[in-house]
């Protein structure tokens, strides 16, 4: 376990992993399907979705996976409203910088 992760952070990660596994099952998609659709190694996807690991995909990978599944990135993030509430506590200049980075990621994927 990563020392800096709090118990609530770990709980969020595991709820999100379960949400993604459920979305894959609903759509009858396997980790191999997602790997082929995104070019992300299946071993990475397996680790990110495993309940036995605390790792989870980064935002760029979440965007790629959500696109492959056919949902918004918000749909795969469990409790995203809680996350938005937490984001509201981030100082505005830091939040603006994060959002600009996210926009750059999206432009790179779309363009």
């Amino acid at each position: 376990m990563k020392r800096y992760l709090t118990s609530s952070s770990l709980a969020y990660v595991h709820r999100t992993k379960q949400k993604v596994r459920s979305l894959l099952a609903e759509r009858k998609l396997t980790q191999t399907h997602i790997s082929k659709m995104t070019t992300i190694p299946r071993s990475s996807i397996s680790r990110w979705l495993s309940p036995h690991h605390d790792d989870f995909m980064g935002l760029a990978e979440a965007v790629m996976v959500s696109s492959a599944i056919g949902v918004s990135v918000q749909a795969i993030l469990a409790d995203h409203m809680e996350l938005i509430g937490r984001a509201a506590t981030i100082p505005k200049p830091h939040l603006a910088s994060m959002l600009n980075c996210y926009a750059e990621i999206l432009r790179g994927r779309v363009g």
Side-chain angles (χ1 to χ4, degrees):
M1 179 172 102
K2 296 176 181 174
R3 290 185 198 170
Y4 55 84
L5 291 176
T6 64
S7 59
S8 65
S9 295
L10 284 173
Y12 175 82
V13 166
H14 287 281
R15 285 191 311 272
T16 303
K17 288 175 181 246
Q18 178 56 46
K19 175 74 173 184
V20 175
R21 288 193 304 265
S22 295
L23 287 168
L24 290 176
E26 286 172 14
R27 288 162 172 73
K28 295 179 176 37
L29 293 170
T30 66
Q31 293 175 9
T32 302
H33 288 122
I34 298 302
S35 175
K36 288 178 180 176
M37 295 165 79
T38 62
T39 70
I40 298 170
R42 196 199 62 74
S43 59
S44 294
I45 294 169
S46 177
R47 185 181 70 253
W48 294 333
L49 298 183
S50 171
H52 307 293
H53 291 278
D54 295 332
D55 292 344
F56 192 64
M57 64 190 82
L59 183 56
E61 292 87 4
V63 170
M64 292 173 69
V65 169
S66 66
S67 179
I69 294 173
V71 298
S72 69
V73 72
Q74 293 87 348
I76 71 169
L77 297 176
D79 304 332
H80 63 277
M81 292 310 292
E82 177 185 337
L83 183 63
I84 291 169
R86 287 185 186 183
T89 66
I90 297 172
K92 286 185 178 32
H94 297 286
L95 185 58
S97 176
M98 290 171 55
L99 292 172
N100 285 335
C101 288
Y102 180 67
E104 286 297 318
I105 291 167
L106 288 179
R107 276 194 285 278
R109 300 284 180 228
V110 175

